[in-house]
């Protein structure tokens, strides 16, 4: 049995289909929405990472979601946005903040300050730095929080690196070293429940270390040997909330496919692989453990964690994903991308976790400039929900790149029709967008229509004979199939007596499509007058001629 969405907008409406229930709250029948509101966004954050040479950028660009806000680190600050990606504030005066970790209750975010060898505790409500914790090891970079224990991967280039922990319940927590790696980059860390996972970033072959956590101690449980499994990297890793499963993005040095992989942290065996859209740069697990998100370069994908089925994919044009900067925010997936100049943007993939809707859009029949064109489409919602009275916005993009909203329409029994009058010929792209709901993902569809220019015809009349020295009067008309070019359009006038044509003064088109011109003959026996119009973006060219013999 299917549920039908009412066209009335009640304050709260919950509809359920028997067997496979889908609950819809607060009215799918909402006010008309703009097409832009449904599109994924890339918001500039006002941070630019400087290059340290050879195309390597300084550290920063980590992301954390807590307290109904999104936090992004970089340079000397942490920028804060609301869930929609709008910048709402910043925590400034920080010395090279890098890694971010959010407390489970969302009240605090912890930031590794690599420039001052500190960890900052930030109140997510007031955005105040409530504590600055000095640490005993240089360049704290990567952080992960499990309960009240914060695990930190530290290390400057050319200095010692490793992992230590802080007991945040203490007023002045001591830095307890867990692993010393020697020289190298700050290790990646991920902790949950009684498990800590760490690995040296971007190391080939990769070795992943898994620890048992008990109080303040950490005991090595075992390793995932990248040499045995031909693993390169990882650049990022994460762990499920119960600590049972590690997910990391690995490259392969045996000519295998780069991929995201999940590993059992007890048996230290591979569970499954998720095909990556490129070399794996960032990975995240949804709070409920149901989905895995992964990003590579400019592309991202969402997978069913249990089956590895790809359920969502996307791409952006703003820049490259910052390694490790991927997170879940409600039903969205968010990440940080860097443009070639180093400027950071928040990439918000709206509704990535929501059930999928689909939209189609087609144009009916051949299209001609300035003639009405009907566009039809269908909105399909999941679980048998009827898409009645749903707002759809249609936009038109012309060959020169300019876009205009054609109008709003509403579905009836899932279908919709809207009529547009193409303002010119050429390939015109129409895009329909349904803005979605809090329970169903938005969708869009596009179709490109080749619009024909209008046929034109021209008439020209003049004297049957000409007399030398006398003025000749000519009249004509241009017709574009019931439509006309604008008044004032110039027409080319040429005269020839068998030789090269002579250009005369242009004829000017009147409001009704008529035109006129004159000429005075000074010699010759017969002349041909030709009026030409080259056409434009709307009309095809045309011309007409008139022959005048001379007495």
């Amino acid at each position: 049995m299917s549920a039908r969405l009412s066209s009335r907008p009640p304050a709260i409406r919950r509809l359920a289909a028997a067997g496979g229930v889908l609950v819809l709250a607060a009215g799918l029948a909402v006010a008309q929405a703009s097409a832009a509101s449904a599109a994924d966004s890339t918001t500039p954050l006002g941070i630019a990472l400087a290059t340290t040479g050879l195309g390597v950028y300084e550290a920063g660009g980590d992301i954390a979601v807590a307290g109904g806000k999104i936090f992004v680190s970089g340079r000397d600050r942490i920028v804060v946005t609301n869930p929609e990606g709008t910048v709402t504030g910043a925590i400034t005066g920080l010395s090279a903040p890098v890694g971010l970790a959010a407390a489970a209750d969302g009240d605090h975010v912890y930031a590794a300050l690599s420039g001052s060898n500190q960890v900052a505790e930030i109140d997510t409500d007031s955005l105040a730095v409530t504590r600055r914790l000095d640490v005993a090891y240089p360049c704290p970079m990567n952080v992960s929080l499990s309960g009240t224990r914060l695990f930190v991967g530290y290390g400057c280039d050319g200095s010692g690196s490793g992992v230590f922990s802080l007991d945040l319940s203490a007023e002045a927590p001591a830095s307890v070293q867990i692993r010393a790696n020697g020289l190298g980059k700050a290790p990646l860390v991920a902790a949950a429940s009684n498990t800590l996972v760490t690995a040296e970033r971007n190391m080939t072959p990769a070795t992943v270390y898994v620890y048992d956590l008990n109080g303040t101690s950490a005991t090595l449980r075992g390793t995932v040997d990248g040499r045995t499994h031909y693993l390169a990297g990882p650049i990022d890793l994460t762990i499920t909330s119960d600590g049972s499963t590690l997910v990391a993005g690995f490259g392969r040095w045996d000519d295998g496919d780069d991929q995201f992989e999940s590993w059992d942290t007890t048996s230290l065996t591979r569970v499954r692989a998720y095909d990556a859209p490129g070399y794996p740069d960032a990975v995240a697990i949804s709070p409920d453990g149901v989905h895995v998100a992964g990003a590579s370069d400019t592309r991202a994908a969402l997978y069913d964690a249990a089956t590895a089925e790809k359920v969502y994919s996307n791409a952006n044009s703003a820049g490259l994903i910052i390694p490790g900067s991927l997170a879940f925010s409600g039903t969205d997936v968010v990440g940080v991308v860097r443009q070639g100049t180093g400027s950071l943007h928040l990439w918000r993939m709206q509704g990535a976790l929501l059930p999928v809707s689909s939209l189609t859009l087609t144009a009916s029949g051949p299209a001609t400039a300035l003639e009405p064109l009907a566009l039809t489409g269908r909105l399909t919602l999941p679980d048998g929900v009827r898409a009645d009275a749903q707002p759809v916005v249609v936009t038109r993009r012309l060959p020169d790149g300019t876009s205009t909203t054609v109008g709003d329409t509403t579905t009836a029994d899932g279908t919709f029709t809207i009529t547009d009058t193409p303002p010119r010929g050429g390939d015109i792209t129409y895009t329909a967008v349904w803005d979605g709901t809090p329970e169903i993902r938005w969708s869009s569809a596009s179709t490109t229509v080749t619009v024909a220019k209008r046929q034109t015809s021209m008439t020209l009349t003049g004297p049957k004979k000409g007399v030398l020295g006398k003025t000749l009067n000519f009249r004509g008309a241009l017709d574009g199939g019931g439509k006309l070019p604008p008044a004032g359009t110039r027409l080319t006038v040429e005269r020839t007596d068998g030789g090269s044509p002579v250009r005369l003064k242009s004829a000017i088109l009147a409001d009704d499509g008529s035109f006129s011109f004159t000429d005075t003959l000074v010699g010759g026996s017969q002349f041909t007058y030709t009026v030409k119009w080259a056409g434009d973006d709307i009309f095809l060219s045309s011309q007409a001629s008139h022959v005048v013999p001379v007495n």
Side-chain angles (χ1 to χ4, degrees):
M1 180 177 69
S2 65
R4 177 184 292 269
L5 297 178
S6 172
S7 59
R8 304 171 188 171
I12 297 177
R13 183 177 182 85
R14 296 186 180 273
L15 296 166
V21 173
L22 177 64
V23 178
L24 300 173
L28 274 170
V30 295
Q32 300 290 325
S34 68
S37 65
D40 301 331
S41 61
T42 48
T43 305
L45 297 173
I47 304 173
L49 300 183
T51 181
T52 59
L54 299 177
V56 177
Y57 285 87
E58 62 185 347
D62 199 16
I63 191 168
V65 178
K69 299 179 177 71
I70 300 172
F71 298 79
V72 178
S73 65
R75 301 296 306 256
D76 61 348
R77 66 194 57 213
I78 296 172
V79 175
V80 184
T81 81
N82 62 16
E84 287 71 44
T86 302
V87 175
T88 58
I91 303 104
T92 58
L94 305 177
S95 182
V98 184
L100 302 176
D105 60 9
D107 289 344
H108 293 90
V109 164
Y110 295 87
L113 306 183
S114 62
S116 59
N117 295 338
Q118 293 177 315
V119 169
E121 179 184 74
I122 299 165
D123 184 284
T124 57
D125 185 26
S126 66
L127 303 185
V129 177
T130 53
R131 287 197 292 178
R132 288 178 182 259
L133 306 175
D134 295 322
V135 301
Y137 300 97
C139 298
M141 292 277 189
N142 305 311
V143 292
S144 182
L145 184 60
S146 178
T148 61
R149 292 186 70 185
L150 184 72
F151 297 88
V152 184
Y154 70 89
C156 313
D157 288 342
S159 67
S161 65
V163 178
F164 68 88
S165 70
L166 298 173
D167 182 0
L168 299 175
S169 64
E171 183 175 346
S175 304
V176 178
Q177 190 174 59
I178 294 171
R179 179 177 178 81
N181 289 4
L183 299 180
K185 298 182 182 297
L188 301 168
V189 290
S193 187
N194 68 334
T195 302
L196 166 68
V197 176
T198 178
E200 290 188 62
R201 178 176 171 177
N202 213 15
M203 183 67 70
T204 301
T207 301
V208 179
Y209 300 87
V210 182
Y211 292 84
D212 285 312
L213 301 177
N214 185 12
T216 59
S217 65
T219 305
L220 184 65
R221 184 185 301 170
T223 63
V224 174
D225 182 6
R227 188 175 299 277
T228 301
H229 298 284
Y230 302 102
L231 302 178
I235 291 180
D236 192 20
L237 55 79
T238 188
I239 193 172
T240 54
S241 60
D242 62 1
S244 65
T245 306
L246 155 75
V247 181
F250 290 108
R252 300 296 295 266
W253 50 280
D254 62 345
D255 295 328
D257 293 331
D258 302 331
Q259 58 195 12
F260 301 102
E261 297 183 3
S262 62
W263 287 72
D264 186 290
T265 58
T266 300
S267 65
L268 303 180
T269 56
R270 183 191 285 117
V271 178
R272 62 182 53 85
Y274 309 85
D275 291 337
Y279 193 91
D281 287 320
V283 65
I285 298 173
S286 61
D288 59 8
V290 174
H291 291 96
V292 170
S296 305
D297 294 332
T298 61
R299 294 168 291 169
L302 186 69
Y303 310 87
D304 184 295
T307 66
E309 177 189 0
K310 185 183 294 185
V311 296
Y312 173 88
S313 61
N314 212 323
N316 82 85
S317 59
L320 302 174
I321 192 81
I322 296 286
S325 67
L326 205 61
F328 288 86
S329 174
T331 59
D332 300 340
V333 173
V334 290
V336 184
V337 296
R338 182 191 67 239
Q339 286 187 331
T341 58
S343 62
L344 301 187
H345 291 65
L346 179 69
W347 180 18
R348 177 189 176 219
M349 289 160 271
Q350 181 179 332
L353 287 175
L354 294 176
V356 179
S357 64
S358 65
L359 200 63
T360 64
L361 183 67
T362 57
S364 59
T368 303
L370 304 185
E371 293 292 339
L373 172 68
L375 299 153
T376 60
R378 174 176 290 276
L379 173 64
T380 303
L381 302 180
D383 289 9
V385 176
R386 292 279 294 275
D388 282 351
Q390 295 310 298
V392 176
V393 178
V394 179
T395 58
R396 176 186 66 214
R397 186 174 185 273
L398 298 179
D400 63 5
T402 58
S403 293
T404 304
T405 299
V406 172
D408 303 339
T409 186
T410 303
T411 62
D413 195 25
T415 64
F416 63 90
T417 300
I418 193 167
T419 300
D420 180 49
T421 301
R424 56 159 293 173
D427 289 341
I428 296 179
T429 299
Y430 291 92
T431 300
V433 176
W434 177 63
D435 210 31
T437 73
E439 292 79 24
I440 301 176
R441 188 190 307 164
W442 67 277
S443 55
S444 66
S446 295
T447 185
T448 298
V449 181
T450 299
V451 179
K453 295 182 181 182
R454 300 186 69 86
Q455 294 283 347
T456 60
S457 61
M458 186 183 294
T459 59
L460 178 63
T461 60
K464 295 181 180 180
K465 291 184 179 181
V467 179
L468 295 179
K470 298 292 185 179
T471 299
L472 307 180
N473 296 295
F474 297 87
R475 291 187 175 277
L478 177 66
D479 180 62
K483 305 291 183 180
L484 293 172
T489 297
R490 292 181 176 274
L491 310 178
T492 300
V493 180
E494 294 178 346
R495 180 188 66 206
T496 180
D497 61 356
S500 299
V502 175
R503 179 75 63 88
L504 304 181
K505 185 178 179 180
S506 298
I508 306 300
L509 203 65
D511 289 336
D512 61 357
S514 64
F515 61 87
S516 62
F517 65 92
T518 62
D519 187 34
T520 301
L521 299 178
V522 295
S525 60
Q526 180 171 288
F527 293 89
T528 299
Y529 290 83
T530 302
V531 180
K532 299 178 181 178
W533 185 51
D536 58 14
D537 292 337
I538 303 171
F539 298 92
L540 293 170
S541 62
S542 62
Q543 67 179 49
S545 296
H546 180 73
V547 178
V548 179
V550 179
N551 287 339

